[in-house]
Amino acid sequence: MSKVALITGITGQDGSYLAELLLEKDYTVHGLLRRASSFNTGRIEHLYQDPHEPHPRLRLHYADLADGSRLVTLLEQIQPKEVYNLAAQSHVRVSFDEPEYTGLTTGLGSPRLLEAIRMIGLECRFYQASSSEMFGATPPPQNERTPFWPRSPYGASKVDSYWMTRNYREAYGMFAVNGILFNHESPRRGLTFVTRKITRGVAEILAGKRDALYLGNLDAVRDWGYAPEYVAGMWAMLQHTEPDDYVLATGTAHTVREFLEFSFSHVGLDWQKYVRFDERYLRAAEVDSLIGDASHAGAVLGWVPKVLAPELARMMVEADCAAV
Ligand code: NAP
Ligand code: G4F
């Protein structure tokens, strides 16, 4: 009998890599799909299995984190042993434009799921996609004991979800864990996050499709890792004997400016000739510096990241050049 997992956010960057990993490990994987007027399954197309075939191991279900009764019905039907809550309005800048919607989904999605699990008496392990954005203005290095000081509606909503997850663990003895993940990127990263915006920009400039790239704050420091390594960490958290919270990070720090340098220099271009400032990409409040200390995950789970920002930038530029 293969293990059964449910992934919310399966169509996103992390959801697609996690689905791949679990299918490789012989799980049956169920994913939530948001109904949209055009296809939003591009990242998992290569994993698609015809539902008419006998026993497909990837199954998609229409649902939205804002619809609590649908979550109850699905959890009862699917009876997953592991639930990975990755769905969110995940864009920090957009959360300033849509604070209420961000709260309804990024903030309230996890208590909806946790309460649904409790209501139907489902025995399962629960992973919450918490974020280094919760540390906000607290100076680095940041680990599991660092106080939160969120600087955006997104960060504040993630703090809400973090505490709800801990509360269900402490109040009801649920196996519920927070993965506090620092920025992780890949060729599947959304096109409006800064790393992918840069690497796609490089590819389009090289191909003569554009002559400038507009960005905001180049001084922000981030700890960028490689997404497939981070989803392996999520899985490891749910396999441990005890539920706990873990930071995943590389412990290395680079500015946006340095990521520009890594990306443009890889194809022999000088970024200063192409990058322009646009204030619309500034945030009402910025998170200046995130640098993680993942020693707890290293000691308990044996989790060690290998890919660092310079190699990540090269990998993403090459993928974007091939695609463009
Ligand atoms: P992503 O690419 O933006 O994917 C977000 C996923 O959530 C997509 O599948 C999206 O569906 C889905 N979603 C959004 N709103 C939903 C709703 N109301 N109901 C159901 N599904 C909804 O994000 P990611 O980079 O993979 O990140 C995964 C999770 O980790 C997110 O919770 C994010 O906040 C968190 N996180 C990410 C990072 C990072 O650096 N990547 C770091 C820390 C934490 P559509 O495809 O239909 O839009
Ligand atoms: O790539 P970003 O949008 O990522 P941010 O805000 O760090 O959030 C990401 O990582 C979090 C983990 O810490 C996740 F929880 C969250 O879901 C998301 O995945 O911006 C990175 C930095 C910021 O300081 C931003 O101000 O890049 C700066 N930046 C400069 N110009 C820009 C731009 N960011 C974006 N998105 N677009 C720009 O043009």
Side-chain angles (χ1 to χ4, degrees):
M1 284 281 283
S2 71
K3 254 189 174 178
V4 177
L6 172 68
I7 305 175
T8 77
I10 196 169
T11 55
Q13 172 189 252
D14 290 5
S16 68
Y17 286 117
L18 181 63
E20 250 169 48
L21 180 82
L22 296 182
L23 289 169
E24 273 165 29
K25 291 185 182 297
D26 214 29
Y27 281 61
T28 296
V29 176
H30 295 258
L32 301 195
L33 184 64
R34 286 206 290 180
R35 197 270 155 186
S37 64
S38 49
F39 284 119
N40 52 3
T41 47
R43 293 188 180 100
I44 51 170
E45 228 142 61
H46 61 296
L47 303 175
Y48 179 78
Q49 297 177 7
D50 189 335
H52 304 98
E53 297 295 320
H55 315 301
R57 284 201 298 114
L58 176 68
R59 301 178 201 183
L60 300 176
H61 311 267
Y62 284 115
D64 195 298
L65 273 193
D67 183 351
S69 57
R70 176 67 172 144
L71 299 177
V72 174
T73 312
L74 274 179
L75 284 163
E76 194 147 42
Q77 254 174 31
I78 296 168
Q79 296 283 314
K81 286 286 174 228
E82 294 175 12
V83 174
Y84 296 87
N85 182 29
L86 309 187
Q89 189 304 90
S90 70
H91 203 283
V92 174
R93 170 67 190 80
V94 172
S95 78
F96 287 99
D97 298 333
E98 298 187 15
E100 184 180 335
Y101 178 73
T102 304
L104 283 174
T105 52
T106 308
L108 290 179
S110 45
R112 278 196 198 99
L113 274 168
L114 287 159
E115 187 57 11
I117 291 168
R118 194 179 76 84
M119 272 168 63
I120 63 172
L122 182 69
E123 288 288 328
C124 71
R125 296 185 169 200
F126 179 86
Y127 174 88
Q128 168 59 26
S130 285
S131 166
S132 53
E133 193 67 15
M134 301 187 304
F135 298 124
T138 310
Q142 293 107 353
N143 65 22
E144 295 81 4
R145 293 174 302 286
T146 303
F148 299 140
W149 185 350
R151 297 269 287 169
S152 62
Y154 170 82
S157 300
K158 285 287 184 186
V159 171
D160 184 3
S161 283
Y162 167 92
W163 281 113
M164 283 294 182
T165 302
R166 275 195 68 165
N167 182 250
Y168 273 69
R169 181 164 90 218
E170 291 166 9
Y172 304 115
M174 280 176 56
F175 195 111
V177 310
N178 285 290
I180 307 173
L181 272 49
F182 282 63
N183 299 51
H184 46 279
E185 321 291 313
S186 74
R188 293 186 202 165
R189 185 56 144 152
L191 285 159
T192 61
F193 296 95
V194 78
T195 55
R196 185 77 197 287
K197 189 170 165 183
I198 291 171
T199 62
R200 178 53 69 117
V202 167
E204 290 182 355
I205 288 167
L206 201 64
K209 293 189 171 179
R210 65 152 80 204
D211 52 20
L213 177 64
Y214 290 88
L215 294 174
N217 175 19
L218 306 188
D219 294 322
V221 171
R222 290 292 182 273
D223 176 338
W224 283 294
Y226 182 42
E229 297 183 341
Y230 286 57
V231 303
M234 296 174 188
W235 177 79
M237 289 178 210
L238 290 202
Q239 310 315 306
H240 197 63
T241 48
E242 299 301 323
D244 201 354
D245 303 322
Y246 300 89
V247 159
L248 298 187
T250 69
T252 64
H254 295 284
T255 58
V256 173
R257 189 176 283 102
E258 285 173 312
F259 199 91
L260 277 166
E261 173 64 31
F262 299 147
S263 305
F264 277 78
S265 66
H266 183 57
V267 295
L269 295 178
D270 176 1
W271 68 269
Q272 303 199 53
K273 291 188 181 150
Y274 302 97
V275 173
R276 316 260 184 278
F277 173 70
D278 186 336
E279 67 178 8
R280 91 180 68 185
Y281 300 117
L282 296 179
R283 284 127 198 230
E286 177 62 286
V287 170
D288 294 327
S289 187
L290 294 173
I291 311 166
D293 162 15
S295 48
H296 180 51
V300 178
L301 306 175
W303 185 84
V304 182
K306 295 187 185 64
V307 179
L308 304 181
E311 187 187 343
L312 185 60
R314 286 194 290 275
M315 182 194 296
M316 290 172 68
V317 166
E318 281 176 16
D320 273 319
C321 286
V324 166

